[in-house]
Amino acid sequence: MATVSLDRITKSFGAFTALHDLSLDIEDREFLVLLGPSGCGKTTTMRMIAGLEDPTSGDIRIDGERVNDKPARDRDLAMVFQNYGLYPHMTVADNIGYPLKVRGMARQERLERIKAAAARVELSNLLERKPGELSGGQRQRVALARAIVRTPRLFLMDEPLSNLDAKLRNLMRAQLKHLQRDLAITTIYVTHDQTEAMTLADRIVIMRDGRIQQSGSPAEIYEKPGNAFVASFIGSPPMNLINGTIANGKFVHAAGSVPVSGLPDGPIILGVRPEDIKLSEPGAADITGTVFSSELLGDSVLLGVTAGTDLINVKVGPRNGRQIGEPISIGLDRGKLHAFDAQHHNSIMERRP
Ligand SMILES: Nc1ncnc2c1ncn2[C@@H]1O[C@H](COP(=O)(O)OP(=O)(O)OP(=O)(O)O)[C@@H](O)[C@H]1O
Ligand SMILES: [Mg+2]
């Protein structure tokens, strides 16, 4: 078991500051996902917790103990690196078993653990290969197996599924979630895939430019994004952000208007998720536009609607496909609108229940 606490961490590389005064407390057994775009500081955060990088200022505590000066090997954690970090001259089996070997585990027990870990990630038939003879996805699974071959007090996983094909990724995702529950090991997991974040996390921390934007359960982040950036990062496809103006109790847009209450006059960004928009009769439409794209996703159809200069994504039932260029009328679910300040992009209206 382990708690992790980051206390006002700043990390600079020369003149560039990658992390700004970052504070975060991770609970024992929590599955915490760091989510954010490329370059926002996810790997840097992980490397500091692992002890592979020193913070410029601030304290890192594991189980209450300050570990800033504790070498990586003494922190009792297993990390899956974004670039695998495998030993090229060792077989898959030896790579997986390495953390056991350095801890002096007897050969027979080691082999059993290696087999069990390899089976979990479907590598059983590749144990004698070298990393150079594997695909990217297979290497990634070797790195995963090496992390789960023993039970450390903390898992750090940096995009561990990014190189797997979609089917294997879904399978591994379920495996990981299950494994983490079984072993009850605190896990910090990095991804820029919001689906992965939503499905795996007890809590998601969204980062941007070395700063935390929002921290909350997947449901909180989905239902109450604190700003337009967070809103635009969650959902598949993410929330539509439509620039317009509030006047006389209405949101006014080049392609229509929507009654809204409780918002001050002036420019705003209206947020509405694709699944919270319906097709409507032309007379009753909030917004009218033309069909830009129509994609059957299986259980739904995703329509791209050109409205003024905006492209609005609309998710409708599977039998609602449209022809490109067709005129189309849409209605927004009044109870599910979000609004963001046009200048600072912060939420100014919480989603009503
Ligand atoms: N050793 C370094 N020297 C200089 N700058 C660095 C160094 N390591 C990271 N950076 C910079 O710090 C920022 C954060 O990098 P980091 O690797 O943490 O991003 P990330 O969120 O993991 O991105 P990605 O999703 O692409 O892996 C980036 O702008 C990166 O260029
Ligand atoms: Mg990274």
Side-chain angles (χ1 to χ4, degrees):
M1 61 171 272
T3 61
V4 179
S5 159
L6 304 180
D7 188 7
R8 308 200 59 178
I9 298 288
T10 292
K11 177 65 182 176
S12 301
F13 297 103
F16 175 75
T17 300
L19 293 173
H20 304 264
D21 202 25
L22 188 126
S23 291
L24 182 61
D25 287 308
I26 300 143
E27 287 173 34
D28 183 37
R29 299 175 195 201
E30 189 171 14
F31 200 124
L32 183 109
V33 172
L34 296 178
L35 177 67
S38 186
C40 71
K42 306 181 295 294
T43 297
T44 305
T45 304
M46 297 285 256
R47 287 177 56 81
M48 287 192 302
I49 298 170
L52 303 170
E53 201 88 70
D54 291 325
T56 307
S57 65
D59 290 333
I60 301 171
R61 292 190 195 83
I62 301 180
D63 283 335
E65 180 201 4
R66 186 177 179 275
V67 295
N68 288 47
D69 305 313
K70 197 169 186 163
R73 64 176 179 280
D74 297 333
R75 294 192 189 186
D76 188 23
L77 46 82
M79 181 160 179
V80 181
F81 296 93
Q82 197 169 10
N83 58 4
Y84 321 126
L86 302 178
Y87 299 108
H89 59 283
M90 289 186 193
T91 62
V92 167
D94 289 344
N95 265 288
I96 296 174
Y98 189 75
L100 305 178
K101 191 171 184 182
V102 296
R103 284 170 178 79
M105 185 182 283
R107 187 181 143 79
Q108 198 49 45
E109 191 183 353
R110 217 162 66 214
L111 288 179
E112 276 161 29
R113 297 270 199 107
I114 292 169
K115 276 191 199 152
R120 287 241 194 209
V121 298
E122 303 197 359
L123 276 178
S124 301
N125 54 350
L126 299 174
L127 286 172
E128 294 315 311
R129 296 237 194 127
K130 299 269 174 68
E133 300 160 343
L134 300 176
S135 73
Q138 289 165 340
R139 277 178 222 171
Q140 196 152 45
R141 282 181 279 151
V142 178
L144 260 178
R146 184 178 55 186
I148 64 177
V149 76
R150 64 181 200 98
T151 37
R153 62 175 169 169
L154 183 63
F155 278 138
L156 301 179
M157 302 194 174
D158 196 350
E159 309 251 9
L161 309 181
S162 57
N163 282 303
L164 306 182
D165 64 50
K167 192 172 160 210
L168 199 54
R169 191 157 60 224
N170 288 345
L171 190 75
M172 288 289 136
R173 199 167 69 199
Q175 276 270 15
L176 261 183
K177 181 83 181 172
H178 197 84
L179 189 76
Q180 197 261 352
R181 262 311 132 75
D182 269 4
L183 303 178
I185 295 177
T186 310
T187 301
I188 307 175
Y189 187 103
V190 161
T191 183
H192 51 238
D193 178 340
Q194 65 89 28
T195 310
E196 230 170 83
M198 293 291 283
T199 50
L200 285 173
D202 295 321
R203 183 158 57 113
I204 299 177
V205 170
I206 300 199
M207 295 175 63
R208 180 192 202 181
D209 295 339
R211 291 187 169 89
I212 292 176
Q213 298 286 301
Q214 191 170 352
S215 159
S217 70
E220 280 164 0
I221 298 258
Y222 180 85
E223 286 164 16
K224 295 180 180 172
N227 62 39
F229 176 79
V230 172
S232 71
F233 222 83
I234 296 285
S236 171
M239 187 183 290
N240 293 293
L241 296 173
I242 310 167
N243 281 285
T245 310
I246 299 292
N248 305 320
K250 279 183 176 173
F251 171 79
V252 183
H253 179 262
S257 67
V258 189
V260 291
S261 54
L263 290 171
D265 283 2
I268 68 151
I269 303 168
L270 191 76
V272 57
R273 295 203 178 275
E275 51 272 37
D276 297 330
I277 306 179
K278 306 274 176 295
L279 300 177
S280 75
E281 295 302 320
D286 292 325
I287 287 176
T288 52
T290 53
V291 175
F292 177 78
S293 58
S294 177
E295 301 168 73
L296 179 62
L297 303 179
D299 58 349
S300 60
V301 164
L302 182 64
L303 298 172
V305 174
T306 309
T309 55
D310 288 313
L311 181 66
I312 300 175
N313 284 315
V314 181
K315 216 179 212 181
V316 292
R319 295 183 206 293
N320 288 296
R322 289 288 189 276
Q323 299 295 319
I324 291 174
E326 246 186 83
I328 190 164
S329 304
I330 55 177
L332 314 189
D333 185 336
R334 305 283 193 276
K336 295 191 171 169
L337 300 177
H338 300 255
F340 304 96
D341 173 83
Q343 196 183 357
H344 303 291
H345 295 189
N346 292 322
S347 175
I348 49 175
M349 179 175 74
E350 284 200 344
R351 180 183 149 181
R352 278 161 278 172

